[in-house]
Amino acid sequence: MNRKTEVMVIGAGVIGCAIARELSKYNINTVLLEKETDVGSGVSKGNSGVLHTGLYYPKGSLKAKLCVEGRLMFPELAKQLDVPYNLCGKHVVARTEEELDDLDDLKAVGEGNGVKGLTIISGEELKKREPKMDGLYALYSPVAGIFAPYLFAIALAENALNNGVKVHVNTEVMAIKQLNNGFEVTTNKGVFQTDIIVNSAGLYADKVSAMVGLDNYKLYPCRGEYLILDKKCNGLINSMIYPVPPKVAGVLGVHLTPTPSGNILIGPSAEFIDSREDSRTTKEKAQQLIEGAKDLLPSIPLNEIIYGFSAVRSKITPPEEKTSRDFIIQEDLENLINMIGMESPGLTSSPAIAKMIVEMINQKMDLKQKADFNPIRKRIMPFHEASRAEQATLIKNDPAYGEIVCRCEHVSKREVLDALNNPISDKTLAAVKYRTRAGMGRCHGGFCLPRIVQLLKEEYGLRPEEIKLKNLDSTMFIGKTKDLRETAKDE
């Protein structure tokens, strides 16, 4: 396999997907490579899903500029891509008189970055807005919002694909060789040639950079863990609830985040670790999150915690530093654009980062806009969001809508099949989970998992040992119990 392209984006996290989608507006050959089986498989799916406003980043920094610009771009982009979101606002709560000074500082930073509508309210006003909360003061940001980050990444990638970008998952970059005019990129799926490389490899961006001899970057993996409250807790809080940030670089503290699906997230923790692939959850951090949640909301119903998850962030700030370093976005080698240390607010900033990258490419290639670019992408409407009359019509036209596969999230067989037939990812259980929410409910897949496995066998002929959880190494079954018994007898 030897393929030639003009721009190669390495890494299909939300930033890589946003860049690919932005490039798809132009008459240019673009390839998006991802080493995992799906887009948005790293930290892009494992975060708070917050549309930040720009309270925490120094004026003049790339983080401040791109966060503010990205937030302003997001509503129109979400509308085009049919991604649900909610501008629920955010309260940063001060619990001591001393912390009022911190709220004043955050407000000044936010206003310096151009954030509108910031107000400091009294504890009495906070109680009116958030009856379960106690605090002496709170900084209110009305334009902060929430959305599902994995749905955003999927929507960006699908729209890019529909506008001509070639998306290759399960494609890991093994080596990069600089040529006289471009690069030769060796992957586990063959060799590509490209004029320009955009290194959007997130947690592995320093490794990709080193492949062309730029080994001066070092990323520090930092694991963030979360706990999830059941949907029964929907309405417990009306906005995001944050503490005054601790004096630790790049850490916002354990906060409470409502999600568009009705759950509440507790987290994240922040723990520097040795392995970039160590995304386990731990008893120690779960307890830390519980204590942090109780500090914010003493009456929080901890018996409604249904699950935990984690993701590993790509920090360029060493653990010993007290001030968080800025994003690095620059052309470090002719026709190679590095993006290093793309941690929070990378999700919010992603639309603005994409614009910035495309402007950098435009200065080199004089991009021409496509006449037929289609910015619209429609999601498949979840069955549970349809009215009773609409559900009846859907079932009449397609009986697969009448078979509920996931009882917790009310996901139908048709939605599961549509998720498995998506044009980008492999047929994994994770592909279904992040497109339909099947398996995200209280029973954690206890009901739907056997039914999805059965669909994979019946509809696609997969043997049990071919069924994967999320990547090629995540085999779920080693065979049939009956066969194992027979083998044991023979031995």
Side-chain angles (χ1 to χ4, degrees):
M1 185 186 300
N2 194 324
R3 287 164 283 194
K4 179 76 172 68
T5 189
E6 292 172 283
V7 179
M8 172 181 289
V9 181
I10 300 175
V14 69
I15 294 175
C17 291
I19 293 168
R21 195 258 185 183
E22 191 66 25
L23 284 167
S24 73
K25 297 177 180 178
Y26 300 90
N27 284 311
I28 185 172
N29 294 321
T30 302
V31 165
L32 175 62
L33 301 187
E34 170 55 49
K35 71 182 181 67
E36 303 295 339
T37 57
D38 204 352
V39 300
S41 293
V43 72
S44 292
K45 67 171 173 49
N47 58 73
S48 302
V50 171
L51 194 60
H52 284 289
T53 53
L55 300 181
Y56 305 106
Y57 320 110
K59 183 178 180 180
S61 66
L62 274 178
K63 284 184 176 179
K65 176 180 182 294
L66 295 170
C67 176
V68 172
E69 290 178 1
R71 179 184 58 77
L72 293 174
M73 295 166 67
F74 184 84
E76 177 61 23
L77 185 55
K79 182 179 178 182
Q80 291 177 341
L81 299 176
D82 200 10
V83 175
Y85 71 100
N86 178 10
L87 296 181
C88 61
K90 167 179 167 179
H91 289 94
V92 183
V93 179
R95 290 164 289 178
T96 66
E97 289 291 345
E98 291 74 22
E99 287 184 335
L100 178 59
D101 292 337
D102 295 309
L103 295 189
D104 287 331
D105 291 342
L106 287 176
K107 183 170 182 287
V109 170
E111 290 176 340
N113 289 332
V115 182
K116 306 294 185 186
L118 297 174
T119 54
I120 293 179
I121 63 174
S122 65
E124 291 76 17
E125 179 61 26
L126 174 65
K127 197 72 173 176
K128 291 178 185 175
R129 301 179 182 190
E130 296 286 355
K132 303 290 186 183
M133 294 299 305
D134 291 312
L136 294 179
Y137 307 95
L139 173 61
Y140 178 58
S141 175
V143 293
I146 53 174
F147 61 103
Y150 40 88
L151 290 183
F152 187 45
I154 289 168
L156 287 163
E158 287 185 356
N159 192 239
L161 180 73
N162 288 338
N163 283 291
V165 172
K166 295 180 176 62
V167 182
H168 298 271
V169 296
N170 279 326
T171 305
E172 182 173 3
V173 174
M174 315 298 288
I176 303 175
K177 178 181 178 183
Q178 188 177 19
L179 307 174
N180 290 332
N181 186 22
F183 301 90
E184 180 181 272
V185 180
T186 302
T187 76
N188 61 333
K189 294 292 183 68
V191 176
F192 293 77
Q193 288 188 351
T194 182
D195 298 334
I196 293 176
I197 288 177
V198 179
N199 176 10
S200 181
L203 194 55
Y204 292 89
D206 55 343
K207 304 290 186 185
V208 170
S209 177
M211 289 180 186
V212 289
L214 300 170
D215 57 359
N216 52 320
Y217 295 119
K218 178 176 174 56
L219 290 172
Y220 301 87
C222 182
R223 184 171 58 212
E225 298 185 30
Y226 288 87
L227 298 173
I228 307 174
L229 290 181
D230 191 78
K231 289 181 175 181
K232 289 181 189 174
C233 301
N234 189 20
L236 184 69
I237 53 177
N238 302 310
S239 63
M240 291 174 276
I241 305 296
Y242 279 61
V244 169
K247 311 299 183 188
V248 178
V251 175
L252 303 183
V254 176
H255 44 269
L256 306 178
T257 309
T259 69
S261 56
N263 301 96
I264 293 174
L265 301 181
I266 302 172
S269 59
E271 179 186 13
F272 284 97
I273 56 177
D274 295 327
S275 170
R276 302 180 192 220
E277 297 295 326
D278 186 0
S279 59
R280 59 183 159 165
T281 56
T282 63
K283 182 178 178 180
E284 292 75 19
K285 291 303 171 187
Q287 189 59 40
Q288 179 183 323
L289 296 179
I290 287 172
E291 295 303 322
K294 288 167 62 178
D295 283 346
L296 275 178
L297 183 58
S299 63
I300 192 166
L302 299 174
N303 60 322
E304 298 296 344
I305 294 173
I306 61 171
Y307 201 58
F309 67 92
S310 77
V312 182
R313 287 139 174 77
S314 60
K315 286 189 176 294
I316 195 167
T317 306
E320 64 274 14
E321 282 193 16
K322 301 302 181 188
T323 304
S324 185
R325 296 186 186 180
D326 202 2
F327 293 151
I328 294 175
I329 303 175
Q330 58 194 23
E331 185 177 2
D332 277 329
L333 186 69
E334 186 175 4
N335 293 335
L336 185 140
I337 300 172
N338 266 331
M339 291 187 289
I340 311 290
M342 308 308 289
E343 56 173 327
S344 181
L347 178 64
T348 305
S349 304
S350 56
I353 293 171
K355 280 277 187 188
M356 177 180 177
I357 295 295
V358 172
E359 286 170 5
M360 292 169 74
I361 294 173
N362 189 37
Q363 291 176 5
K364 307 172 72 65
M365 302 185 75
D366 190 21
L367 299 175
K368 304 296 183 186
Q369 287 196 337
K370 284 179 185 171
D372 59 350
F373 171 73
N374 181 5
I376 304 301
R377 171 260 183 190
K378 297 298 292 182
R379 66 176 172 140
I380 299 169
M381 186 174 68
F383 184 69
H384 70 87
E385 290 184 13
S387 67
R388 297 289 287 179
E390 290 171 332
Q391 288 179 346
T393 300
L394 287 170
I395 293 171
K396 181 180 178 181
N397 294 333
D398 184 348
Y401 277 109
E403 184 177 334
I404 295 299
V405 173
C406 173
R407 290 195 301 197
C408 296
E409 299 293 327
H410 304 286
V411 180
S412 68
K413 177 182 175 180
R414 168 50 53 204
E415 294 164 271
V416 172
L417 292 174
D418 286 345
L420 290 169
N421 290 331
N422 84 83
I424 293 175
S425 81
D426 280 358
K427 290 177 173 51
T428 66
L429 293 167
V432 176
K433 176 180 177 180
Y434 289 110
R435 285 167 174 80
T436 69
R437 291 188 54 79
M440 288 190 179
R442 192 174 186 97
C443 82
H444 317 317
F447 181 81
C448 64
L449 177 61
R451 286 156 181 80
I452 298 172
V453 167
Q454 192 64 28
L455 284 177
L456 285 165
K457 290 168 58 181
E458 292 175 355
E459 301 287 337
Y460 304 101
L462 294 183
R463 292 180 285 113
E465 54 269 36
E466 293 176 320
I467 295 173
K468 311 293 184 186
L469 176 62
K470 57 184 178 182
N471 58 44
L472 298 181
D473 298 324
S474 57
T475 301
M476 297 191 65
F477 308 99
I478 59 172
K480 295 181 179 178
T481 307
K482 180 181 176 182
D483 295 338
L484 293 174
R485 286 200 197 102
E486 293 299 323
T487 302
K489 284 181 184 177
D490 294 341
E491 292 175 351

